Amino acid sequence: MELIFELGQEGRGLDLLPECDVCEVTLDAPKRAGKMHLPHVSETELSRHYTRLAKRTHGVNDGFYPLGSCTMKYNPKVNEEMAALPGFTSVHPLAPVESVQGCLEVLYTLQEDLKEIAGMDHFTLQPAAGAHGEFTGLLLIKAYHKANGDEKRTKIIVPDSAHGTNPASAAMAGFEIVNIPSGEDGCVDVEALKAAVGEDTAGLMLTNPNTVGIFDKNILEITEIIHKAGGLCYYDGANLNAIMGQCRPGDMGFDVVHLNLHKTFSTPHGGGGPGSGPVGCKDILAPFLPGSYAVKTADGYEYEGCEESIGSMRSFAGNFLVIVKALTYVTTLGAEGIKEASQNAVLNANYMRVKLADVYDMAYDVTCMHEFVMTLEKKKKEINITAMDIAKAMLDYGIHPPTMYFPLIVHEALMVEPTETETKEEMDYVIEVLREIMAKAKEDPEYIQHSPHHTVIGRPDEVKAARTPVVTYEF
Ligand SMILES: *Cc1c(COP(=O)(O)O)cnc(C)c1O
């Protein structure tokens, strides 16, 4: 496919720019050495170019998108309508608070709702992503120990079933990482945890349900072990899809949590807009909260900050329009709807798991939460079919593959998260496709090993793409 620079004719389309009606000045600053390369295309060419590109990508509006640990659920259109209201889009972050009471009410209401959902005493909406939330939460833990004169606590315990961002965030916050293994059942090895805690334990970071889709049955014992050792407990709640409305991290003994609005709370990921990773905490961590948050007073809403704050994690109140979308979602669903959403997320994952279990090996043969992990390890040995082959074969059916080769503790992993917004018919179709692919793999492995056969590109050289990416265009 041609790039936009290869379309059009010299000079075309540029008359769309208005005449310059201010005097031209020449800046003293360093100047561009060469000519500026602008595409010379008509509006029609431009529009068709991007439409062609859009048709080659796959999003939640195109079809099933079962990326485990990503919660690619449908993004309700009413969220977008609310976030497009001029009262939200045309305000300035430094506008006097009396003129933006509605916006502060939005911030305050979402803070309150998230407190209720997560079982926390406070929430900051500032962090701009999940990993950013983790970093924020860890700085809170650090500030807490420092305020207590307990600076020997330098280690964060991270189970091997944690999301990859957990150890990365802990390292960035200046902690040492202590990795502990999972047991056969996919849960934290409690004995290993007991052996790992000590006077240098700053805290634990736990993803629950973990990255293999299992709710840790020892959760209360785990948080107690950490607290007894003087540490704090961090809950990675990026994917709260499985538990929201059912149980709360705060009630399980966690002191701090982050939630991904761009997963659980239906705001888009990536190209759909910026993210948001609010952080909730218990009272003991409140003095260190970042930036300012909305409070309700007798005279209306105001911003408030803490004296011992860790500082701002981002400008102003966070990604405000994402917050509007998440509040729209929570308000649309209500308490009952939130509960129903997590029930359906878990039901859908288990429905697919059970319907596939006779054809695909499950990494853990237990009832899962919102996602489940298949392993192609045996099939690789028997018929030389890998997780990659299955994922590639799915592309021929117009289906986005599940998360592959993650979590790392499962070999040849395919992690499926259907989410609650898929219908039974859609899941039945995907189940049928996956069964068909495996049948074909047994009968004609070569065909599947060379899939996809009907897409624009087949199997790009992934190592080359990662090692020597071409990210600039040579004119
Ligand atoms: C997605 C995810 C994160 C990271 O969130 P980002 O917004 O991508 O930074 C952290 N933990 C878990 C469990 C996740 O699924």
Side-chain angles (χ1 to χ4, degrees):
M1 186 174 155
E2 284 165 311
L3 297 183
I4 194 154
F5 300 108
E6 293 157 348
L7 298 171
Q9 291 288 333
E10 184 73 25
R12 183 179 292 164
L14 294 185
D15 57 352
L16 286 174
L17 293 177
E19 286 279 319
C20 179
D21 61 355
V22 292
C23 53
E24 284 187 32
V25 284
T26 312
L27 295 176
D28 237 357
K31 291 197 191 87
R32 183 189 309 276
K35 198 170 109 195
M36 185 162 72
H37 295 288
L38 289 175
H40 292 243
V41 291
S42 67
E43 187 172 327
T44 319
E45 285 172 304
L46 184 73
S47 171
R48 286 181 184 160
H49 177 71
Y50 284 109
T51 304
R52 268 200 297 270
L53 280 178
K55 281 182 180 164
R56 286 189 172 198
T57 62
H58 186 94
V60 278
N61 288 325
D62 296 295
F64 197 62
Y65 205 143
L67 271 189
S69 199
C70 288
T71 311
M72 303 299 290
K73 66 165 85 168
Y74 177 71
N75 311 130
K77 297 299 166 255
V78 64
N79 294 0
E80 303 298 324
E81 268 177 56
M82 293 305 113
L85 291 175
F88 293 141
T89 56
S90 58
V91 290
H92 192 281
L94 293 176
V97 289
E98 22 345 320
S99 70
V100 287
Q101 284 290 300
C103 294
L104 269 90
E105 187 177 353
V106 166
L107 298 172
Y108 179 80
T109 312
L110 189 65
Q111 284 165 204
E112 291 300 302
D113 288 348
L114 296 182
K115 274 160 64 175
E116 179 66 29
I117 290 169
M120 290 287 156
D121 300 323
H122 301 270
F123 250 96
T124 167
L125 305 178
Q126 244 196 0
H132 198 205
E134 292 169 24
F135 183 55
T136 306
L138 287 157
L139 291 183
L140 295 179
I141 292 178
K142 201 171 186 178
Y144 171 84
H145 290 310
K146 191 167 175 216
N148 290 336
D150 207 358
E151 286 176 61
K152 63 184 181 304
R153 296 193 177 272
T154 54
K155 292 186 178 159
I156 292 283
I157 299 171
V158 184
D160 63 3
S161 61
H163 194 266
T165 49
N166 290 186
S169 305
M172 232 178 110
F175 289 107
E176 253 177 84
I177 319 298
V178 181
N179 215 282
I180 54 164
S182 305
E184 285 281 294
D185 56 358
C187 296
V188 170
D189 181 335
V190 174
E191 291 314 311
L193 178 65
K194 281 183 186 158
V197 295
E199 291 205 328
D200 55 1
T201 302
L204 164 84
M205 282 186 98
L206 200 77
T207 305
N208 186 53
N210 59 22
T211 51
V212 293
I214 295 173
F215 189 102
D216 205 302
K217 60 184 188 299
N218 304 313
I219 199 78
L220 295 175
E221 192 184 351
I222 290 169
T223 54
E224 198 185 316
I225 292 168
I226 296 296
H227 284 150
K228 274 206 175 131
L232 296 180
C233 297
Y234 185 101
Y235 190 104
D236 180 336
N239 314 108
L240 216 67
N241 240 33
I243 67 152
M244 60 177 181
Q246 312 294 334
C247 58
R248 314 189 306 171
D251 301 334
M252 299 173 209
F254 286 87
D255 306 290
V256 51
V257 58
H258 87 265
L259 312 174
N260 277 20
L261 300 188
H262 51 287
K263 288 180 182 169
T264 309
F265 295 93
S266 84
T267 76
H269 291 215
S276 178
V279 169
C281 68
K282 294 279 179 69
D283 280 329
I284 51 163
L285 292 172
F288 316 109
L289 280 168
S292 54
Y293 40 85
V295 291
K296 193 175 183 176
T297 69
D299 305 322
Y301 298 94
E302 275 178 38
Y303 287 120
E304 206 175 86
C306 326
E307 263 179 39
E308 291 176 84
S309 169
I310 56 169
S312 261
M313 296 304 294
R314 195 197 172 283
S315 52
F316 306 109
N319 281 327
F320 180 68
L321 295 176
V322 179
I323 291 164
V324 172
K325 292 178 196 181
L327 180 62
T328 306
Y329 179 71
V330 173
T331 311
T332 311
L333 261 60
E336 277 310 304
I338 294 261
K339 213 171 182 169
E340 213 175 289
S342 58
Q343 281 166 352
N344 285 335
V346 173
L347 179 63
N348 283 0
N350 279 291
Y351 177 72
M352 288 195 69
R353 180 181 63 81
V354 170
K355 289 272 187 183
L356 288 167
D358 60 327
V359 176
Y360 288 84
D361 299 320
M362 296 296 153
Y364 301 92
D365 195 15
V366 291
T367 305
C368 63
M369 297 300 287
H370 61 305
E371 58 194 3
F372 64 94
V373 186
M374 312 192 285
T375 168
L376 274 292
E377 197 175 10
K378 251 207 224 141
K379 293 285 182 306
K380 188 178 172 184
K381 285 189 195 124
E382 289 165 11
I383 51 172
N384 200 22
I385 289 291
T386 63
M388 172 74 91
D389 297 330
I390 303 292
K392 290 290 183 188
M394 290 175 81
L395 297 176
D396 276 337
Y397 294 86
I399 300 172
H400 197 288
T403 296
M404 307 157 53
Y405 296 101
F406 182 84
L408 303 177
I409 52 176
V410 177
H411 295 141
E412 294 296 328
L414 284 176
M415 179 163 58
V416 182
E417 179 184 6
T419 83
E420 74 280 11
T421 53
E422 290 305 329
T423 61
K424 180 171 175 295
E425 293 77 30
E426 186 69 25
M427 289 190 292
D428 284 337
Y429 170 67
V430 178
I431 290 163
E432 213 31 67
V433 166
L434 279 166
R435 297 182 70 91
E436 203 174 298
I437 291 172
M438 188 52 82
K440 183 87 186 158
K442 285 178 179 163
E443 166 202 314
D444 181 5
E446 212 164 293
Y447 183 84
I448 299 297
Q449 284 154 356
H450 290 99
S451 292
H453 300 278
H454 308 294
T455 53
V456 182
I457 53 169
R459 296 198 181 203
D461 182 339
E462 298 193 3
V463 175
K464 195 165 172 218
R467 295 278 160 83
T468 49
V470 181
V471 290
T472 52
Y473 182 73
E474 296 296 331
F475 287 94

